[in-house]
Amino acid sequence: MDTPAFPFSRELTMYLDDFTTRMRRGQVTESKNIAIETVNLMRHVISISRWDNVEQLTMLIKAVGRKLIKALPRELLIVNVLCRLLRIVAEESESVEFVEDSWSARRTRESASPRGAETPAMGVGTGAPGALMRTLTEQVSGRLDVETMTLLGFKKNILNEINVYISELDNIEDDIAKNALEYIHSNEIILTCGRSLTVEKFLLKAAGKRKFHVIVTECAPTYEGHEQAKALASSPNIEVVVIPDSAVFAIMSRVNKVILGTRAVMANGGLIAVSGTHMVAAAAHHHSTQVVVCAGPYKHSPWFPFNDDRFNALVSPDAVLPYREGDLVNNVDVISPRYDYVPPELVDIFVDSMGGHLPSYLYRLLQENYGDAKDLAWNIYDS
């Protein structure tokens, strides 16, 4: 069912346009930063917009979601954040309904009490006017107090929960890194692919107490692996080696464990990760090497990958085939995808702030994080 359009103010439209412009220009690229920017935007939207009940607030979030997804159709993190906010609204609205139900029950109880029967002539006497006026006054004042408390208190609770969510996102890498010692042991050989801040902190946390080796694929043509290797080399307990992508299969027989980062985790347990990750995971699967994926709950997407290219993006092929090779460029088509889709059967375990989970348990994590709001993701996209 399509959601009715929610009227946007000029100020709100300006904020949304500024957000989408910065995203399109690539001014915000890190996954966590995109999630935090989206939450901050929604917090501001909820603060400045006028809404009078839960239904209008839900309509507002979905309307903003449709506008953002229309502008950024491949950015899965935005949908994840919106579903989480809808879950927060649904949880907080339960307490609001409880307050309203309590007042309704009290009003029914007071209306049924025989205050007018204090005098014999159908409440007409010395005590009836005072009792009747007292009852009406209590009901009217009680209703005003409940409505004011409900609306303002509900909005305050929503903003407080959003602040808690932002704090959770700020500390997500450190929370995941607390589980590092359970998966990394001394003198192990770890292989990772590309640049991931979550994997970097995960490995550095384990290096605080254990010595091990890390092999980093260079992840051409962006060569993000060199940056990852440089960051890991800051620890004296990690011996880092950078290898070309073509050497992954040959060296996999020596690797004890593969630890990967990801851009998003699909509802079926598949990954949308940096280009080259699928090759690493496939080689690990062939050699029966465990594949561990470090990903925070904000990367769990309620969408299924019915079309692998739907969530991918193409970048300039100049790094693969320079334009100065004029004769060759005119005769070939070069496709340079930014991400790979890794099917769930190539992943052994997910590690987040709560510990390790099997891919088959992902549906439970989606239910805990999003509840029924995950079903609205498709409506937001299709409407």
Side-chain angles (χ1 to χ4, degrees), residues 40-216:
N40 285 329
L41 172 68
M42 295 306 301
R43 180 178 60 179
H44 188 71
V45 167
I46 294 174
S47 300
I48 66 175
S49 300
R50 181 176 180 179
W51 45 272
D52 300 325
N53 49 53
V54 178
E55 289 75 15
Q56 291 184 6
L57 177 57
T58 303
M59 288 173 53
L60 172 64
I61 296 176
K62 294 179 66 176
V64 173
R66 288 196 306 272
K67 185 176 180 61
L68 293 179
I69 293 174
K70 184 177 180 180
L72 306 165
R74 294 183 176 88
E75 194 53 71
L76 295 170
L77 296 176
I78 294 178
V79 180
N80 303 347
V81 169
L82 292 173
C83 289
R84 180 57 183 166
L85 293 180
L86 289 173
R87 172 68 169 177
I88 292 175
V89 171
E91 290 177 346
E92 292 298 321
S93 64
E94 294 177 358
S95 60
V96 172
E97 292 175 359
F98 176 76
V99 172
E100 293 177 349
D101 291 343
S102 299
W103 180 86
S104 300
R106 180 164 59 87
R107 182 185 63 176
T108 303
R109 196 166 50 248
E110 291 177 352
S111 300
S113 60
R115 293 181 181 271
E118 296 177 0
T119 58
M122 299 178 61
V124 180
T126 56
L132 182 60
M133 183 61 66
R134 183 171 63 253
T135 302
L136 294 175
T137 303
E138 289 178 355
Q139 291 180 359
V140 173
S141 61
R143 181 60 178 171
L144 291 177
D145 292 341
V146 168
E147 284 188 346
T148 303
M149 180 189 65
T150 299
L151 184 58
L152 298 181
F154 178 68
K155 189 171 187 177
K156 181 179 179 181
N157 291 342
I158 290 294
L159 296 178
N160 288 339
E161 288 297 326
I162 292 177
N163 292 333
V164 172
Y165 186 41
I166 294 176
S167 177
E168 176 186 335
L169 293 175
D170 285 331
N171 303 319
I172 192 65
E173 288 94 354
D174 296 331
D175 294 337
I176 295 175
K178 294 178 182 178
N179 304 304
L181 295 178
E182 299 180 10
Y183 299 94
I184 299 178
H185 307 285
S186 298
N187 299 321
E188 279 191 331
I189 299 178
I190 309 296
L191 187 142
T192 186
C193 177
R195 172 74 165 157
S196 172
L197 182 59
T198 305
V199 174
E200 175 188 330
K201 290 192 175 182
F202 191 82
L203 295 174
L204 291 177
K205 182 68 174 181
K209 294 186 178 180
R210 294 170 182 170
K211 293 184 178 181
F212 51 91
H213 304 265
V214 176
I215 300 174
V216 185

Side-chain angles (χ1 to χ4, degrees), residues 297-355:
Y298 70 96
K299 292 186 178 182
H300 295 168
S301 174
W303 280 342
F304 287 87
F306 294 118
N307 185 356
D308 297 349
D309 296 332
R310 176 181 182 181
F311 306 113
N312 209 333
L314 300 179
V315 296
S316 173
D318 180 64
V320 180
L321 184 63
Y323 290 107
R324 60 176 177 269
E325 303 289 343
D327 297 337
L328 186 60
V329 169
N330 294 330
N331 297 323
V332 298
D333 293 329
V334 181
I335 299 176
S336 180
R338 177 175 297 177
Y339 304 113
D340 274 350
Y341 171 71
V342 182
E345 55 267 19
L346 301 183
V347 179
D348 294 302
I349 191 169
F350 290 98
V351 179
D352 58 16
S353 55
M354 297 178 290

Side-chain angles (χ1 to χ4, degrees), residues 18-38:
D18 177 71
F19 176 82
T20 56
T21 300
R22 289 189 294 113
M23 291 296 174
R24 286 173 173 173
R25 292 177 177 175
Q27 296 177 358
V28 184
T29 56
E30 290 288 340
S31 300
K32 186 182 75 171
N33 294 337
I34 293 176
I36 293 177
E37 288 281 343
T38 305

